[in-house]
Structures are given as C-alpha cells and as structure tokens.
Amino acid sequence: MDVLDLARWQFAITTVYHFFFVPITIGLSAIVAWYHSRWIRTRDEGHLRMAKFLGKLFTINFALGLVTGIVQEFQFGMNWSSYSRFVGDIFGAPLALEALLAFFLESTFLGLWIFGWGRIPERLHAACMWIVHVGTLLSAYFILAANSFMQHPVGYRINPETGRAEMADFVAILTNEVQLVAFPHVITACYLVGGALVMAVGLHKLRRTVTQGGPDADRRMYRHAARLGAVVVLLGGLGVAISGDLQGKVMTEVQPMKMAAAEALYDTPPEGECAPFSVLTVADLGGEDPKHVIEIPCLLSFLGTGSFDGEVRGIADLEAEYRESFGDDELTQAETYIPPIAMTYWNFRLMMATGFFAMAVGAWALWATRKDRVPMQRWVFPIIVLTPIATVLGHSFGWIFTEVGRQPWVVFGEMATHTAVSPSVGAADVWTSMIVFTLLYGGLAVVEVRLLLAYIRKGAEPFEQPRLVEDDQPLEFAY
C-alpha cells in the first residue's frame, strides 16, 4: 500500500475506535444527571445508587475517550499536512473551540462531580453533571461543524495569492445546513446508545437479583433502570429516524453522489419515473445487472426529495458532470468521482438495521418487564449483550457511510483526498505509527472492557446517606 492508503487506514482505525466511546459518553452523561436530579427531588435511594453506579461506568468511558481523542488532531499535521495547510484557517477554529471551551467544561465539572460529594450544595453538585452533559453536546457540535465543512463547504473564500481557503463567515460555518441536520441525528443516536447500555445493564442485574434472591429494593431499582433505558432507546430511535429523514434530503441536495451510491443507483430514472429503494441486493454492486431481492418502489425518491415522484440522479450522470466541472484543476482531479459503492451501500443499511433492532428490543423490554415481570428465558442474555454493542457499531456504520460516501473528496468540490496527504511522510513512518497506535488501542480496549465488566458485576453500592465532609479532609477518589 502507498502512503495515501496507509494514511487513510490509520485515520479510519483511530476515528472508528475513538467513536466507540463518544456516544456512550454523551448518552450516559444525560442519564447520570437525570438520576442524580431525581434523587434530590424524590429522595428515592435507588436513584442515588444508580447515579453513582452509572457514574462509575461513565467515568471509565470518559477517560478512555479522552486518551484516544487526543490522537485525532495530531494526525492532521502528521499524515494530512497538505489538507491542514489548505483549510487550517477554517478547520482549526471549531477544533480549538472544542478543546478550549467544550473539553475543559466537561473535565472541570466532571472533577467537581466526582470529588464534590458532601463538599458542595447538592443541587449545585447535581448541576455539575448536567454541565458535563452540555459540554459533551458542545464538543459534538464543534466537531460536527468541522466535519460538515468537509461535506459541504460554506463561509469561506479561496485566496488566489496563497491558494489557501480562508474563513469569511464563522457563523455560516457553525450553521451549515449539513451541520443543522447532522447534529440532532448524531445526538439522538447517542441517547439511543446510552439508553441501550442502561437497559442492558438493568436487565442483566435484574435477572441476577432474582436468581440470587436479592432484596426487593435492588429488584425495583434495576427494573426501573431497564425500563428507563428502554424508553430512552425508543425516544432516541424516533429522533434518529426523523433527523435521518431530514438529513437524507439535505444530502441529496448538496451531495447527490452519496445518495446515489447509498442505493447503487447508476442510471437516473427516466422522466416521470421514481427511484426505488432496495433493502437487500445480490451482485457485485458494480452496475452489472444487480438483482434486488427486496425492493420498495419510489422510496428512494421520497427519502431524497420528500416526494414519491422526485428525481434522484444516478451515478453515471453525476460522474460525467463532476469530470467536466472538476477534472481540470490540480486540487480536484481524481481518477474517479464514484465512491466505493459496496461499502457505502451496505454501511447505510447496517446503520439503519442496528437502530431498528435496538428499538425493537426496547419495545420488547418494556413489554417483558410490565407489571413487575422479569424475563428469565435463556435466550434473553444474548440479546442483552448484543443490543448495546449493536448500537455502538451502528454509529460506526453511520460514520463509515458518511466518510466513504464523500470520496474522492476530503473537502467536497475543493480538494481531492489524494492531494491532502503529507508529501514528506513515507510509508515506513505511517506503518510505524499505525502499528503502535493499533496495539496501544487494542490494549486500552481490553482495559476498558475489563473495567466495565468488573463494575457491572459488582453492581450498585448499598445506599449510604450523603454527609458533609470537613474542609480539612483530603480529596478521595475510590472508584
């Protein structure tokens, strides 16, 4: 593999790995904050126990997400210096705000929440976790603003003397139409992930409590957690579906090739005909007589335009247009303007399938735990394990679809990916850093999973009435 392929592989590995932690952090922080606030309001002992229990899981995940996230920004200068040189004035601004504003907000108030038990007023203490959650939302917003510029560049101008992109309107960058639909789509999906984790942990601990003859208080607490998680999954899934529908229409407008690739639609349907959507396809997706196993007439037209007779342009027509528009510029020339069809097609469907699967499990969990019932069948355990994993993978499928479907662009219409790689970095350099990071990340994954499983097995600590801490007592953190 050449330097370009290696750099893309390394960025894919580190990005997908880092994003395993992000949705859990965002979704779980909201649920921890909710439980803490409910304890103050109701004095239900189970709510305080769950706030502390889920807070431990959140803290573990936050720490691993922090470590892996730092590497992301280094790669822009290490492997993608030509890209950084071209759009650094624009791309750097939201990244700087994410680090200086959002990250420090999260880390500062998470520290106050961890060490603040008995030291600060309880309402202010609970507010600390809400502020952490707001910080995660701001962090996501600034990161997505940077990514949305890559998908649909706005608020910039090209300096003819330097050949670099310069910021012209920061507000336009923050209110990019791609950003305005991507942000709610990603955040509601994060709530779906957080809900799935809480639902799975609640169901598992509920079953263990019944099996081991645990106290009724634990049974009520874990049943409540399972049902709360299921409700969050259903609400999050509904938000994902609505925002995803809006996102599809914006994508058809600003990135029509991505929408065509999502369906492997090579030819624009004749005038007066609509574009179907295939649930499954048999063939190589190379345009050579693909056989649709399940096809829904006119659905792609609706997803892309909001009308069942709307036009969705095909790959062949768009390829010809892009060659004519971009083929003469050194920065925008490419061998092909067609993204990898198979990856785009299947990740689009896997993304949707995992979301619908989680929603189905959420609805089943509410039904299975109604009227104090406990699902004790043996087949329930694999579903408990699979559901949160599926939701996290669903996020990855969505990001792979988003980034692969944009190819061959690193900034759509302005810079092709092959022109963005660092000219002075050799294959050996990328191989070395990629192997080191991959091995390191593999080790961190083992640490994360072992810690999470250890604390899940231990469960919520027995109730202990919060008490005031003397000012001269040392700070302690004994998670």
Side-chain angles (χ1 to χ4, degrees):
M1 289 189 288
D2 60 15
V3 174
L4 173 61
D5 290 333
L6 290 170
R8 293 172 76 174
W9 266 108
Q10 182 174 24
F11 199 84
I13 291 169
T14 54
T15 300
V16 170
Y17 184 88
H18 172 63
F19 211 73
F20 286 158
F21 306 102
V22 172
I24 299 176
T25 296
I26 295 175
L28 202 55
S29 61
I31 296 175
V32 173
W34 185 88
Y35 264 119
H36 195 166
S37 299
R38 290 296 296 173
W39 148 251
I40 294 173
R41 186 177 181 85
T42 66
R43 295 300 169 182
D44 186 314
E45 297 178 2
H47 291 341
L48 180 61
R49 294 175 64 196
M50 286 303 300
K52 291 185 174 183
F53 173 47
L54 296 176
K56 296 175 183 179
L57 306 185
F58 169 80
T59 304
I60 294 167
N61 188 78
F62 182 88
L64 270 293
L66 166 63
V67 172
T68 57
I70 293 174
V71 177
Q72 296 297 96
E73 297 187 15
F74 285 138
Q75 285 187 92
F76 292 117
M78 183 174 64
N79 292 345
W80 302 98
S81 62
S82 295
Y83 167 78
S84 299
R85 211 174 289 117
F86 181 66
V87 296
D89 289 350
I90 302 167
F91 198 76
L95 292 185
L97 282 173
E98 189 275 334
L100 297 175
L101 175 62
F103 169 69
F104 279 102
L105 192 70
E106 297 169 51
S107 55
T108 299
F109 282 91
L110 178 59
L112 288 171
W113 188 81
I114 292 172
F115 295 109
W117 295 98
R119 295 181 181 274
I120 58 179
E122 60 179 14
R123 291 183 182 275
L124 180 60
H125 189 208
C128 288
M129 183 53 75
W130 283 114
I131 295 173
V132 171
H133 179 59
V134 170
T136 67
L137 297 181
L138 289 174
S139 180
Y141 194 90
F142 291 130
I143 294 296
L144 287 170
N147 182 266
S148 295
F149 179 85
M150 300 168 71
Q151 310 290 337
H152 176 53
V154 296
Y156 73 106
R157 60 174 174 264
I158 302 296
N159 187 322
E161 296 181 2
T162 63
R164 301 174 68 233
E166 296 178 350
M167 185 185 301
D169 188 346
F170 188 50
V171 174
I173 294 171
L174 293 180
T175 57
N176 189 334
E177 60 182 315
V178 173
Q179 160 78 342
L180 296 180
V181 292
F183 178 71
H185 188 62
V186 170
I187 296 305
T188 51
C190 291
Y191 292 145
L192 185 148
V193 173
L197 178 62
V198 173
M199 176 182 67
V201 171
L203 283 173
H204 173 64
K205 299 302 294 184
L206 174 62
R207 285 159 52 92
R208 290 292 299 271
T209 300
V210 172
T211 301
Q212 298 174 357
D216 289 340
D218 285 7
R219 177 169 172 159
R220 289 193 302 272
M221 178 181 65
Y222 289 127
R223 178 177 177 274
H224 181 275
R227 292 180 65 82
L228 173 65
V231 170
V232 173
V233 166
L234 290 173
L235 293 177
L238 181 61
V240 169
I242 295 172
S243 58
D245 177 66
L246 296 174
Q247 193 173 21
K249 292 166 177 56
V250 172
M251 182 173 67
T252 303
E253 178 185 346
V254 302
Q255 291 179 292
M257 179 66 85
K258 185 186 291 186
M259 178 56 87
E263 176 52 27
L265 181 71
Y266 277 82
D267 299 316
T268 304
E271 186 176 354
E273 294 187 17
C274 59
F277 180 86
S278 59
V279 179
L280 295 173
T281 295
V282 175
D284 61 357
L285 295 177
E288 300 174 359
D289 190 28
K291 299 175 177 59
H292 298 117
V293 179
I294 304 174
E295 188 176 77
I296 304 175
C298 300
L299 182 57
L300 185 65
S301 289
F302 179 78
L303 292 175
T305 68
S307 171
F308 284 105
D309 57 1
E311 181 186 59
V312 178
R313 300 180 64 191
I315 293 170
D317 289 348
L318 292 167
E319 164 80 352
E321 178 186 313
Y322 290 174
R323 284 195 176 279
E324 183 178 349
S325 301
F326 305 116
D328 296 331
D329 192 305
E330 183 180 347
L331 279 179
T332 59
Q333 288 177 346
E335 291 183 9
T336 178
Y337 293 95
I338 302 174
I341 300 299
M343 288 188 67
T344 307
Y345 180 95
W346 285 113
N347 277 286
F348 186 57
R349 281 148 183 80
L350 289 170
M351 171 187 68
M352 292 190 294
T354 52
F356 288 131
F357 168 74
M359 292 180 70
V361 174
W364 165 82
L366 288 176
W367 174 259
T369 57
R370 72 194 189 282
K371 297 180 180 178
D372 208 30
R373 289 181 171 86
V374 180
M376 298 299 295
Q377 300 89 337
R378 293 183 62 181
W379 53 264
V380 172
F381 182 73
I383 293 178
I384 292 174
V385 174
L386 182 60
T387 302
I389 295 175
T391 58
V392 172
L393 291 177
H395 263 269
S396 297
F397 295 141
W399 271 112
I400 293 171
F401 165 73
T402 299
E403 300 305 298
V404 171
R406 189 187 66 235
Q407 299 306 310
W409 302 105
V410 67
V411 178
F412 183 80
E414 292 292 347
M415 190 178 203
T417 304
H418 71 89
T419 67
V421 72
S422 298
S424 59
V425 174
D429 300 321
V430 185
W431 267 118
T432 301
S433 59
M434 182 166 62
I435 291 171
V436 170
F437 281 135
T438 302
L439 293 175
L440 176 63
Y441 281 8
L444 290 175
V446 173
V447 172
E448 161 95 355
V449 172
R450 288 175 65 91
L451 283 173
L452 287 177
L453 292 179
Y455 279 101
I456 289 171
R457 291 192 193 99
K458 187 177 181 181
E461 298 284 354
F463 176 75
E464 182 179 345
Q465 183 69 37
R467 62 184 187 277
L468 291 177
V469 178
E470 298 295 333
D471 291 340
D472 58 350
Q473 287 186 233
L475 293 174
E476 293 180 350
F477 179 57
Y479 278 0

